[in-house]
């Protein structure tokens, strides 16, 4: 179907998108000189569906194989889980030339990436994302992370994968709510980078479940989203400039997730809420017009994503929480805001009063 | 006195060696664009001697300053200490543009580097090493690490400092045992890289305490050791090839440290023991002659470093422990062995029997 390159000064890598890729894991890894030992990390649901096929593929390609299944859910994205996996790596004598494979969604990918970044000062990692969100976002670009009680991904490192293998067919078993969450990131690419993707989504009958998408649109969504992410990451590997635009919707989104204990809204839902807020901030600042704001809102609603803050959430707490965001610079919160479909800018001109007003309107 | 550059594809940095450098911390950081907030990490002894001077220098240069003092000793180089520092970073609202300064020896430097590598996916780090070992080795090259109960530095990441500031005058307050430990790494550079340094040490009256070195030799030792390390790191930032030679003496050294719980021998003493063993292995393999072996042994003895294994240490346990070394590749332990003064090679030809024989002779 498609192969997209993330161009980097040190080690570039491919994002390979094709139906049936789960069975190609071993053969695709083979030419990349990834050692002989492989630790596969997954969660119970994904492993039940695709673990056996991934394992057979690895074994037939001649890899020595072990695995670790972690409980599902953001609440296990903790230092404790990292240490459990360190012990598995130790017991199975992983070497610096060995490879850890992440078979799962964003949580599995982030944890696996962090272990690979920090065990023996860095092992190879291969990402096999199984959620829409992980396919178009989390698996690409080398961001790894673990949650701290005070905030999401406060602990983390940059560690690029050696390969990203996407099998669109696995989306058929993805929970509907997870699919919608991933669609929030896809809509994000439409707003920040790819006006054509935005228009194609506007023309789609629905965006809320996979059966409401034409196969052609699903293909477009995966390729265009991955290409958008690859373009940005290739230009700014470690988020010193351009890459900040990928955080569109994430600044307020992270605060919402964190303040509700990561249990009320999914990451994608939080990003959707964050994009609604960011769009309105941009309107308030006169950077983008109400019609564009309505077009974005319509897409988010078409994906059946929430557009209001979770009930009972204290807006003042959001304002405080934003001060601990990773993207705070010299004490000022910086927002990514749209100026046109496909174009965003970064600004620190959002005042607390404007922010309070927009958030109050979303309560 | 001297400035040495570590040349890297992404961010090169300087090692600045000069008496009185502690008072230059702030001014030297200023032109490097290291943010406004600084978290200084140190241990009680070092902080008592030099903390105030470092702080005054930072404050006068206009930095916002906070600090964290960790207990002294390898036994605190743990994930728990890392998490304590994360909480300090959070409480003081460190940002991604902020800087963490390590003022101390190898433990402080390794921990500080790991926090800087993994908090907010990477902050700046400045190394101000106060032990001889940290000056000539640990502070340079971006290796960071934390101990796992099963082995030293099993948890870690590569994260290069933005500046290494060395003040030779602080060695006057260094404990004698620590000075000797650092001398083990200096002797290492003589064997693996710099025959002239080796010869200069042979000509010195003593190597066991700072007062037995001429000021000229101390200067030579610091500059030549830092230059050796900088040369190797510049050619191989992430230990994919040449950099392995820096592990001369460390393979067996790490096993000895780990099996004695990091309390019986210092790191430098362990490296000295490891070099004695490696030299004898090289003799056994016919790679280097007995005279060279004796010359190296004489230097190690001149530094009053141990040349025998700690009493009661089970040799079979060393053999098992070597299998978990980070440098194991495809199950084979790789040793760095000398072939001439200033030249080493990497080999996996050491059999368990030869190893057992050499270690038995050192019991």
């Amino acid at each position: 179907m498609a192969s997209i390159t993330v161009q980097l000064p040190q080690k570039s890598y491919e994002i390979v998108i094709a139906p049936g890729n789960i069975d190609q894991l071993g053969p695709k890894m083979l030419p990349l000189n990834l050692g002989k030992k492989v630790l596969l990390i997954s969660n119970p649901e994904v492993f039940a569906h695709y673990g056996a096929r991934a394992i057979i593929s690895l074994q037939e390609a001649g890899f020595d194989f072990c695995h670790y299944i972690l409980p599902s859910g953001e609440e296990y994205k903790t230092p404790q889980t990292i240490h459990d996996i360190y012990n598995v790596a130790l017991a199975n004598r992983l070497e610096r030339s060995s490879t850890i494979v992440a078979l799962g969604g964003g949580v599995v990918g982030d944890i696996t990436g962090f272990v690979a970044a920090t065990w023996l000062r860095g092992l190879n990692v291969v990402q096999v994302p199984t959620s829409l969100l992980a396919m178009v976002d989390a698996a690409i670009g080398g961001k790894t992370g673990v949650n701290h009680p005070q905030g999401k991904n406060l602990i983390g490192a940059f560690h690029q994968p050696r390969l990203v293998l996407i099998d669109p067919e696995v989306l058929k078993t993805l929970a509907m709510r997870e699919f919608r969450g991933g669609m929030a990131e896809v809509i994000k690419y439409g707003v920040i980078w790819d006006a054509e993707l935005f228009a194609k989504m506007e023309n789609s009958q629905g965006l809320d479940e996979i059966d409401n998408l034409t196969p052609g649109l699903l293909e477009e969504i995966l390729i265009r989203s991955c290409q958008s992410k690859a373009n940005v990451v290739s230009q700014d590997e470690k988020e010193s400039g351009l890459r900040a635009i990928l955080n569109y919707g994430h600044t307020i989104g992270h605060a919402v997730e964190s303040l509700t204990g990561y249990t009320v809204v999914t990451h994608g839902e939080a990003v959707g809420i964050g994009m609604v807020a960011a769009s309105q901030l941009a309107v308030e600042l006169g950077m983008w017009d109400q019609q564009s704001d309505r077009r974005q809102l319509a897409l988010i609603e078409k994906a059946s994503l929430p557009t209001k803050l979770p009930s009972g959430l204290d807006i003042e707490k959001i304002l405080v929480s934003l001060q601990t965001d990773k993207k705070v610079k010299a004490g000022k919160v910086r927002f990514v805001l749209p100026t046109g479909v496909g174009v965003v800018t970064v600004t620190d001109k959002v005042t607390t009063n404007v922010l309070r007003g927009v958030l109050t309107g979303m309560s």
Side-chain angles (χ1 to χ4, degrees), chain A:
Chain A
M1 198 167 169
S3 180
I4 294 157
T5 305
V6 181
Q7 292 278 5
L8 295 174
Q10 306 217 291
K11 276 181 181 159
S12 299
Y13 57 92
E14 297 294 310
I15 306 163
V16 181
I17 307 172
N21 254 346
I22 291 285
D23 303 309
Q24 298 301 313
L25 176 58
K28 295 277 185 203
M29 282 174 60
L30 223 36
L32 298 176
N33 192 21
L34 299 178
K36 199 168 165 54
K37 285 197 186 180
V38 173
L39 168 57
L40 181 86
I41 297 182
S42 193
N43 68 33
E45 295 75 23
V46 171
F47 194 76
H49 277 114
Y50 306 108
R53 284 169 58 194
I55 288 171
I56 288 169
S57 171
L58 286 169
Q59 283 178 332
E60 288 186 352
F63 291 100
D64 282 348
F65 155 85
C66 56
H67 70 287
Y68 176 81
I69 309 298
L70 57 104
S72 299
E74 187 82 30
E75 65 270 33
Y76 294 99
K77 203 171 128 177
T78 60
Q80 183 55 53
T81 301
I82 298 298
H83 284 278
D84 291 346
I85 302 177
Y86 286 157
N87 288 332
V88 173
L90 188 70
N92 287 282
R93 299 195 170 175
L94 258 64
E95 302 169 0
R96 206 181 261 179
S97 58
S98 303
T99 298
I100 316 191
V101 173
L103 177 69
V107 171
V108 167
D110 282 1
I111 283 179
T112 302
F114 188 75
V115 169
T118 55
W119 185 246
L120 309 183
R121 296 202 188 95
L123 308 183
N124 304 306
V125 64
V126 168
Q127 295 281 355
V128 186
T130 59
S131 70
L132 179 58
L133 187 142
M135 288 177 184
V136 300
D137 183 27
I140 306 164
K143 276 197 183 182
T144 73
V146 184
N147 297 334
H148 184 280
Q150 302 289 318
K152 198 171 150 66
N153 294 323
L154 289 178
I155 304 164
F158 282 95
H159 189 65
Q160 297 290 344
R162 299 293 307 277
L163 171 69
V164 180
L165 205 66
I166 296 176
D167 185 342
E169 289 181 346
V170 307
L171 293 175
K172 290 176 189 159
T173 55
L174 186 67
M176 195 183 293
R177 190 174 177 193
E178 293 303 316
F179 182 81
R180 292 169 181 175
M183 199 54 72
E185 298 282 357
V186 176
I187 294 168
K188 180 189 82 176
Y189 291 118
V191 177
I192 68 168
W193 196 260
D194 188 342
E196 209 172 320
L197 173 60
F198 192 97
K200 283 177 193 281
M201 287 190 284
E202 286 186 309
N203 293 332
S204 175
Q205 192 115 40
L207 294 173
D208 54 335
E209 46 186 302
I210 193 163
D211 293 339
N212 287 339
L213 268 64
T214 62
L217 181 60
L218 179 63
E219 184 176 332
E220 286 269 0
I221 277 174
L222 290 175
I223 295 175
R224 283 181 174 273
S225 298
C226 290
Q227 188 67 63
S228 300
K229 177 99 187 219
N231 285 345
V232 173
V233 169
S234 296
Q235 288 177 55
D236 177 23
E237 183 182 354
K238 295 200 175 168
E239 200 168 24
S240 50
L242 178 69
R243 191 160 173 168
I245 70 171
L246 297 173
N247 291 314
Y248 177 56
H250 284 61
T251 306
I252 290 169
H254 280 163
V256 170
E257 276 186 287
S258 164
L259 290 169
T260 53
Y262 304 109
T263 53
V264 177
V265 293
T266 66
H267 175 69
E269 289 167 354
V271 169
I273 292 165
M275 290 194 294
V276 171
S279 171
Q280 291 185 25
L281 289 174
V283 171
E284 293 295 327
L285 267 63
M287 293 165 62
W288 106 314
D289 57 37
Q290 293 215 320
Q291 194 209 337
S292 302
D293 177 57
R294 262 180 255 119
R295 285 175 67 197
Q296 183 198 273
L297 190 66
L299 277 191
I300 293 170
E301 286 171 342
K302 199 193 275 191
S304 292
L305 286 161
T307 57
K308 295 280 182 190
L309 292 174
S311 63
L313 184 54
D314 183 346
I315 286 168
E316 297 307 313
K317 283 192 179 162
I318 297 181
L319 299 176
V320 170
S321 169
L322 290 175
Q323 293 295 329
T324 64
D325 191 273
K326 281 190 293 298
K327 272 73 68 177
V328 168
K329 201 168 179 179
K332 285 194 167 178
V333 185
R334 296 158 77 227
F335 283 93
V336 181
L337 299 184
T339 57
V341 173
V343 189
V344 285
T345 189
V346 179
T347 178
D348 61 4
K349 298 276 179 271
V350 175
T351 63
T352 303
N353 281 337
V354 167
L355 193 49
R356 188 182 282 118
V358 163
L359 293 174
T360 304
M362 288 176 63
S363 292

